[in-house]
């Protein structure tokens, strides 16, 4: 069935279509007889909880997984080599993952031409080629720079340029804004709109409802391996969309801000003093990879030495072990690499820092540890898997609950430091986490949440500092707080006059 | 469902089944293979190797490796013999030999665990340094004429079982208890899986691995002394190749070379497999050289076979209709899993 590749316009034949796809792994549900398509000019938002089948859908479409049953067409032509990523990429279907897949030590030009015919051309031609590819995105990154020296957003652009430099028909993006600040995300969205106007099809996978609604033209929601909704994006608001994602669970009413207890932690930054009272959740809002994250690391003893006072004593931990000994615990934003031991069981992951406590004599007592796990499981609503199964068998939201539970139920924290605790977590888990943190503050714990997402701060916090460079501005929870936060970040950015600062 | 758990079980305990099949094969060719005497022979031949391989497997699980174990065994034997002969005290000799092991372990541990140098590079250097030192001290000659009180140690038998098999049994109990039943064992797994994540969980990553190096050093010197007592002589090359044999056992036992994954039952199966294969080939009058070829070949075949059986097991699951329940709470398909 030969089709015209120049064929475009709405209502035309899908660029890519999946029919009757079935996938399952080791008893875990993935996709039940599902279909999915993208037409030229569309930006399709693909949503669902962790484990709902989004990633599986993307993996089937890009050849990373071979479905047990089902067919796929690209521009009406049947793809015979399902599960062959190279074949599918050659047909013009590309995927951009959250973490750009680039060779860190090679230059930008080398990365863009790697594995292409141009790889064998003279250096000048390759650099021209790379410049042209970047030009399509309106970027002027020096093509001789090693990728390791680029900012995160720039890396993403290089990755995109690599995808665009060939005959691109359909682009899949998996959580593309997960590590981006608002402005970088807006820039990415403009770019996607331009690509769609040129007749390409785009599939956008994300947990960030605001991003999805701002850029997508059609929404597809998956739940338990089934498509439960497929409608134009214009029909939705953030509230309606969260309702569709987690039926029966309304977006939590913002509680009245908890009353502040006495100040537990004071941190000196330059000539400013940041104060963190007991019984409140204080947000630290800034750009992606901004100074708010460095602040948390220093308070946990794994960055620059902190200048702080905890209670009435000087607090400057030398190592995480030191900080933990003083009741200060930390959840990293990089859950998979820094928060979890994927080859160990869920139980081991929950109790490891406190393992010396679960003993009979000098032997480890599984029964005592299991009791703690059960409490955490109940309080945080950890679902699926088994405490003695690998933690990697749990879905993302439940893995996050394990990392969080470690610092709540193993030992009562004094200060809890959280970096993007609800990033990459579905709406249901987000609310479970918010509830658990609320409960903690009632028992007088001081909680700090660093984030580059205003929504996350608004959901979790009572008050916040917005930071840019090393300027910190305080604000209180209010209606439309996330807009207030974003505005204050933009203002600070303007007054500081530094446009690319990200400590 | 049944087929799935069957293959899963086979994949996880493949080395053990391989050893059993091999033993039955040798038994079929010669009924004496499974006699008490021959089993004792297997145990004796494995004792020094097991004493090293068990702690070494735990070091590999913690994300490091020690290639110097053979040289440390040689040097310890030589030092113990020299001290014994010059002082006339067996106890002092053994103490000196064990001190060599502790000292080398401390040095490796400081360089690798605290100063973060690459374990392969450091212990490869140490392999050469300690091996060369053993040769230098003895001028390449064998030290014979060890006190009878020392050589008699290897002749001690309790219920007709030689002392060294009891030492091996002790090493096995130590391995199982430490790795599976002590908090320390879980810390080893944690730092081998992700050093950074373990560090952020407050695990004293340097100290945990440092002590593992010391234990491996101690075990290597113990093995060297056991060998010297058995041979009634200390040679500077006694331990040569011990590092390769011990690593073969460790990897055959399903321990991931990258760290983080491994079970003591697997390591013991690996030890059994190597013991049965070696002894069986001896029974069939195969040459020493061919034995080495076959042991190495087994390791390669085992790893290849392991991959394919696990793939097969995975496909077996994939073809099942989709149940809505999660996995049965058992460790998933990527768990540690041994071979043939």
């Amino acid at each position: 069935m030969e089709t015209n590749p120049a064929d475009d316009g709405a209502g035309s034949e899908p660029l890519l279509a999946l029919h009757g796809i079935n996938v399952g792994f080791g008893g875990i549900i993935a996709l039940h007889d599902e279909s999915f398509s993208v037409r030229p000019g569309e930006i399709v938002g693909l949503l669902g909880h962790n484990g709902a089948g989004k990633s599986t859908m993307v993996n089937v479409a890009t050849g990373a997984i071979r479905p047990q049953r089902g067919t796929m067409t690209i521009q009406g032509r049947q793809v015979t080599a399902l599960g062959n990523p190279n074949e599918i990429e050659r047909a013009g279907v590309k995927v951009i993952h959250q973490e750009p897949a680039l060779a860190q030590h090679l230059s930008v030009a080398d990365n863009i031409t790697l594995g292409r015919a141009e790889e064998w051309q003279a250096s000048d031609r390759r650099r021209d080629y790379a410049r042209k590819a970047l030009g399509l995105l309106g970027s002027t990154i020096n093509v001789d720079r090693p990728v390791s020296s680029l900012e995160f957003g720039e890396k993403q652009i290089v990755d995109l340029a690599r995808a665009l430099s060939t005959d691109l028909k359909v682009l899949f993006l998996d959580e593309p804004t997960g590590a981006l600040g608002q402005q970088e995300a807006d820039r990415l969205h403009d770019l996607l709109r331009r690509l769609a106007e040129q007749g390409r099809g785009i599939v956008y996978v994300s947990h960030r409802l605001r991003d999805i609604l701002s850029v997508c033209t059609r929404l597809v929601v998956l739940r338990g391996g089934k498509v439960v909704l497929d409608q134009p994006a214009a029909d939705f608001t953030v509230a309606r969309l969260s309702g569709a994602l987690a039926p029966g669970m309304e977006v939590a009413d913002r509680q009245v801000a908890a009353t502040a207890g006495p100040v537990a932690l004071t941190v000196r930054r330059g000539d400013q003093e940041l104060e963190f009272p007991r019984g409140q959740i204080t947000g630290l809002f800034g750009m992606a990879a901004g100074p708010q994250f460095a602040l948390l690391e220093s308070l946990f003893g794994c960055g620059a030495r902190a200048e702080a006072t905890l209670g009435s004593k000087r607090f400057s931990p030398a190592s995480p072990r030191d900080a933990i000994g003083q009741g200060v615990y930390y959840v990293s934003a990089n859950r998979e690499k820094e928060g979890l031991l994927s080859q160990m069981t869920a139980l081991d992951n929950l109790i490891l820092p406190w393992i010396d406590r679960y003993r009979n004599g000098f032997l480890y007592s599984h029964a005592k540890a299991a009791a703690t796990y059960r409490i955490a499981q109940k309080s945080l609503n950890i679902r699926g898997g088994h405490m003695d199964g690998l933690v990697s068998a749990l879905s993302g939201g439940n893995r996050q609950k394990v990392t969080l539970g470690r610092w709540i139920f193993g030992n009562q924290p004094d200060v809890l430091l959280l970096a993007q605790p609800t990033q990459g977590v579905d709406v249901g888990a987000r609310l479970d986490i918010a509830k658990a943190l609320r409960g903690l503050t009632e028992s007088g714990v001081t909680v700090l949440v660093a984030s580059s997402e205003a929504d996350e701060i608004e959901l979790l916090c009572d008050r916040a500092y917005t930071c840019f460079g090393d300027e910190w501005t305080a604000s209180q929870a209010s209606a439309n707080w996330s807009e207030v936060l974003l505005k204050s970040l933009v203002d600070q950015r303007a007054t500081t006059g530094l446009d690319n600062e990200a400590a | 469902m049944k087929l799935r758990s069957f293959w899963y079980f086979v994949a996880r305990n493949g080395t053990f089944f391989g050893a059993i099949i091999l033993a039955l094969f040798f038994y079929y060719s010669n009924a004496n293979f499974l006699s008490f005497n021959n089993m004792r022979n297997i145990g004796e031949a494995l004792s020094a190797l097991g004493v090293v391989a068990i702690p070494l497997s735990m070091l590999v699980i913690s994300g490091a490796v020690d290639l110097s174990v053979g040289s440390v065994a040689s040097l310890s034997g030589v030092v113990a013999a020299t001290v014994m002969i010059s002082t006339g005290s067996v106890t002092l000799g053994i103490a000196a030999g064990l001190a060599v092991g502790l000292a080398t372990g401390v040095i490796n541990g400081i360089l690798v665990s605290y100063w973060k140098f690459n374990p392969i590079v450091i212990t490869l250097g140490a392999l050469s340094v300690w091996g060369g030192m053993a040769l230098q001290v003895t001028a390449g000659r064998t030290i014979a004429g060890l006190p009878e009180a020392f050589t008699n140690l290897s002749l001690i038998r309790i219920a007709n079982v030689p002392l060294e098999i009891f030492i091996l049994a002790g090493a096995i109990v130590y391995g199982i208890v430490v790795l599976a039943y002590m908090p320390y064992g879980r810390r080893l797994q944690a730092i081998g899986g992700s050093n950074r994540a373990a560090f952020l969980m407050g695990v004293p990553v340097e100290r945990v691995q440092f002590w593992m190096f010391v234990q491996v050093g101690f075990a290597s010197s113990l093995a060297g002394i056991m060998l010297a007592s058995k041979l009634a002589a200390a040679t500077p090359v006694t331990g040569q190749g011990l590092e390769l044999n011990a690593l073969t056992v460790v990897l055959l036992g399903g321990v991931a070379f990258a760290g983080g994954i491994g079970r003591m039952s697997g390591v013991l199966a690996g030890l059994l497999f190597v013991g049965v294969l070696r002894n069986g080939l001896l029974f069939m009058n195969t040459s020493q050289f061919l034995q080495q070829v076959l042991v190495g070949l087994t390791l390669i075949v085992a790893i290849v076979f392991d991959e394919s059986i696990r793939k097969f097991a995975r496909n077996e699951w994939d073809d099942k209709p989709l149940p809505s329940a999660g996995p049965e709470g058992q460790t998933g398909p990527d768990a540690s899993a041994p071979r043939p």
Side-chain angles (χ1 to χ4, degrees):
Chain A
M1 212 198 288
E2 197 60 30
T3 51
N4 179 5
D7 188 10
D8 62 5
S12 64
E13 183 174 31
L15 284 169
L16 179 146
L18 294 165
H19 301 287
I21 299 290
N22 267 289
V23 184
F25 327 84
I28 298 173
I29 206 154
L31 287 176
H32 282 296
D33 200 16
E34 281 314 321
S35 300
F36 179 77
S37 64
V38 198
R39 287 166 202 285
E42 265 191 327
I43 304 181
V44 182
L46 192 55
L47 298 98
H49 284 195
N50 290 309
K54 286 171 307 185
S55 310
T56 311
M57 188 73 99
V58 174
N59 284 334
V60 168
T62 56
I65 291 182
R66 199 161 65 90
Q68 269 102 35
R69 272 199 304 279
T71 56
M72 170 169 166
T73 54
I74 295 175
Q75 292 189 314
R77 206 173 320 176
Q78 181 104 13
V79 177
T80 48
L82 279 176
N84 181 339
N86 293 332
E87 219 28 68
I88 290 175
E89 184 171 348
R90 226 166 293 146
V93 178
K94 306 278 161 60
V95 60
I96 300 276
H97 292 287
Q98 181 174 357
E99 191 65 34
L102 299 171
Q104 297 293 325
H105 300 294
L106 297 183
S107 72
V108 170
D110 288 342
N111 265 287
I112 290 177
T113 55
L114 197 67
R116 303 263 151 80
E118 290 75 16
E119 192 184 350
W120 304 98
Q121 293 181 351
S123 160
D124 282 354
R125 308 258 309 260
R126 280 190 294 132
R127 291 158 66 205
D128 272 348
Y129 180 86
R131 262 183 226 116
K132 228 176 278 165
L134 287 167
L136 292 174
L137 301 174
S139 162
T140 54
I141 298 173
N142 181 346
V143 297
D144 293 326
R145 280 175 69 183
V147 161
S148 56
S149 75
L150 301 180
E151 301 271 328
F152 191 88
E154 295 176 309
K155 286 184 192 172
Q156 213 167 26
I157 288 176
V158 172
D159 205 13
L160 263 172
R162 186 177 148 76
L164 287 178
S165 66
T166 54
D167 177 27
L168 176 73
K169 296 197 183 81
V170 181
L171 183 64
F172 284 82
L173 297 113
D174 195 0
E175 293 279 352
T177 54
L180 295 184
Q182 197 59 48
Q183 300 203 338
E184 289 160 299
D186 289 344
R187 217 174 299 153
L188 177 71
H189 293 161
D190 285 341
L191 213 103
L192 295 180
R193 283 186 203 104
R194 216 174 319 143
L195 291 177
E197 276 162 25
Q198 294 162 7
R200 296 180 170 107
I202 290 172
V203 182
Y204 190 105
V205 180
S206 181
H207 284 296
R208 287 166 75 160
L209 305 186
R210 216 172 269 269
D211 285 352
I212 293 249
L213 287 174
S214 90
V215 73
C216 295
T217 58
R218 179 161 67 93
L219 301 182
V220 173
V221 176
L222 285 164
R223 198 184 305 142
K226 284 204 161 296
V227 173
V228 293
L229 184 150
D230 184 346
Q231 279 179 36
D235 301 353
F236 286 93
T237 60
V238 171
R240 255 205 78 194
L241 192 52
S242 346
L245 279 167
M249 211 172 339
E250 267 81 78
V251 175
D253 282 330
R254 260 214 61 75
Q255 306 199 352
V256 185
T259 37
V263 173
L265 178 72
T266 320
V267 184
R268 282 205 68 80
R269 295 290 286 196
D271 51 2
Q272 273 179 295
E273 279 209 335
L274 313 183
E275 294 186 334
F276 302 98
R278 291 202 173 284
Q280 271 201 333
I281 305 179
T282 308
L284 295 165
F285 175 63
M287 310 231 304
Q292 73 272 31
F293 298 107
L295 178 73
L296 288 200
E297 285 181 4
S298 81
L299 288 173
F300 193 58
C302 56
R305 286 301 274 268
E307 270 186 74
T309 317
L310 180 62
S312 54
K313 281 180 294 187
R314 214 178 82 82
F315 178 68
S316 177
S319 67
R321 204 173 160 69
D322 187 5
I324 292 167
Q326 302 186 56
V328 177
Y329 310 148
Y330 167 70
V331 172
S332 162
N334 190 347
R335 178 177 68 221
E336 304 307 325
K337 284 199 183 124
E338 300 195 330
L340 288 171
L341 293 155
S342 57
Q343 93 290 5
M344 296 185 83
T345 66
L347 175 62
D348 286 338
N349 270 282
L350 190 85
I351 55 92
L352 195 73
W354 327 108
I355 191 163
D356 273 330
R357 263 199 240 134
Y358 302 106
R359 285 193 301 184
N360 279 327
F362 66 97
L363 295 183
Y364 166 70
S365 162
H366 181 273
K368 288 182 184 169
T372 301
Y373 189 90
R374 281 189 209 102
I375 295 172
Q377 187 173 31
K378 202 156 167 247
S379 315
L380 281 172
N381 191 18
I382 299 175
R383 272 173 299 183
H386 186 277
M387 67 172 95
D388 294 322
L390 291 185
V391 73
S392 48
L394 295 175
S395 71
N398 288 306
R399 289 203 295 277
Q400 181 69 359
K401 289 177 186 176
V402 170
T403 37
L404 206 62
R406 173 191 304 148
W407 302 117
I408 299 178
F409 300 99
N411 201 18
Q412 166 93 359
D414 191 19
V415 177
L416 199 53
L417 312 169
L418 309 172
Q420 316 240 96
T422 59
Q423 167 190 275
V425 159
D426 62 64
V427 179
R430 218 171 247 240
L431 297 180
D432 288 335
I433 290 171
K435 214 171 87 194
L437 294 181
R438 195 50 63 195
L440 266 185
T441 56
E442 277 157 24
S443 53
V445 178
T446 307
V447 182
L448 279 65
V449 174
S451 182
S452 57
E453 292 181 43
D455 289 350
E456 187 172 37
I457 301 278
E458 178 168 347
L459 172 70
L460 300 174
C461 303
D462 302 310
R463 55 191 282 273
Y465 288 103
T466 306
C467 56
F468 188 79
D470 220 348
E471 289 292 311
W472 303 74
T473 327
S475 64
Q476 294 284 334
S478 60
N480 294 329
W481 194 19
S482 61
E483 271 95 62
V484 174
L485 287 167
L486 279 168
K487 189 170 175 307
S488 73
L489 184 60
V490 172
D491 290 349
Q492 272 184 41
R493 206 167 154 147
T495 51
T496 330
L498 300 164
D499 214 41
N500 272 320
E501 165 110 44
Chain B
M1 212 56 163
K2 270 192 182 128
L3 200 55
R4 157 186 163 179
S5 26
F6 172 74
W7 281 113
Y8 187 43
F9 186 69
V10 169
R12 268 175 80 79
N13 299 289
T15 306
F16 178 72
F17 291 119
I20 298 295
I21 290 168
L22 207 57
L24 290 176
F25 169 75
F26 289 129
Y27 175 67
Y28 177 75
S29 12
N30 187 332
N32 283 333
F33 186 78
L34 291 181
S35 67
F36 175 76
N37 275 344
N38 194 50
M39 297 219 265
R40 191 176 56 203
N41 287 344
I42 295 178
E44 277 184 307
L46 287 180
S47 55
L49 180 60
V51 163
V52 174
I54 287 168
L56 183 65
S57 67
M58 284 149 62
L59 182 65
V60 174
I61 288 171
S62 85
V65 69
D66 187 349
L67 300 176
S68 70
V69 292
S71 292
V72 171
S74 302
L75 184 64
S76 301
V78 165
V79 167
T82 314
V83 171
M84 240 171 251
I85 289 171
S86 60
T87 66
S89 162
V90 172
T91 320
L92 217 54
I94 292 178
L98 294 178
V100 168
L102 290 175
T104 55
V106 166
I107 294 171
N108 284 337
I110 289 176
L111 286 166
V112 176
S113 305
Y114 282 101
W115 294 353
K116 311 281 178 206
F117 289 104
N118 183 303
I120 294 182
V121 177
I122 294 294
T123 61
L124 186 66
L127 166 80
S128 192
V129 169
W130 306 125
M133 215 170 264
L135 287 162
Q136 179 68 30
V137 168
T138 57
R141 281 190 293 267
T142 298
I143 305 177
L146 300 180
E148 249 179 51
F150 178 64
T151 54
N152 282 346
L153 286 178
S154 65
L155 301 178
I156 296 176
R157 292 192 172 198
I158 303 161
N160 210 12
V161 176
L163 180 63
E164 54 185 342
I165 292 188
F166 285 100
I167 297 179
L168 176 62
I172 291 172
V173 171
Y174 148 88
I176 293 173
V177 168
V178 172
L179 191 60
Y181 295 102
M182 278 177 68
Y184 182 75
R186 284 202 160 56
R187 295 214 173 100
L188 286 172
Q189 282 186 332
I191 65 177
S194 166
N195 207 284
R196 176 78 181 162
F199 174 69
L200 291 178
M201 289 187 215
V203 175
V205 289
E206 289 95 353
R207 201 196 315 155
V208 167
Q209 197 181 60
F210 169 82
W211 283 111
M212 206 57 243
F213 268 108
V214 175
Q215 290 168 63
V216 169
F218 179 83
S220 310
S221 59
L222 181 61
I225 293 167
M226 284 163 69
L227 289 170
S229 168
K230 184 152 67 172
L231 302 171
T235 83
V237 294
T238 303
Q240 233 170 43
L242 185 60
E243 60 286 329
L244 293 181
N245 290 330
L247 262 185
T248 305
V249 167
V250 170
L251 297 178
L252 214 46
V255 174
F257 196 60
I261 296 172
R263 296 173 305 152
M264 198 43 71
S265 58
V267 176
L268 299 180
L271 194 62
L272 183 68
F273 189 93
V274 169
V276 166
L277 183 63
R278 288 237 153 129
N279 182 277
L281 293 173
L282 212 64
F283 243 68
M284 300 180 83
N285 287 324
T286 322
S287 88
Q288 281 270 339
F289 311 128
L290 195 58
Q291 280 181 38
Q292 194 174 341
V293 172
L294 286 173
V295 170
L297 211 56
T298 314
L299 178 64
I300 295 171
V301 171
I303 301 289
V304 172
F305 196 61
D306 173 51
E307 243 339 277
S308 24
I309 201 167
R310 278 206 272 167
K311 243 178 224 161
F312 178 77
R314 226 173 285 148
N315 288 337
E316 187 62 36
W317 300 331
D318 291 352
D319 290 341
K320 296 285 159 210
L322 300 165
S324 49
E328 272 77 14
Q330 287 311 309
T331 344
D334 340 305
S336 72
R339 325 47 313 221

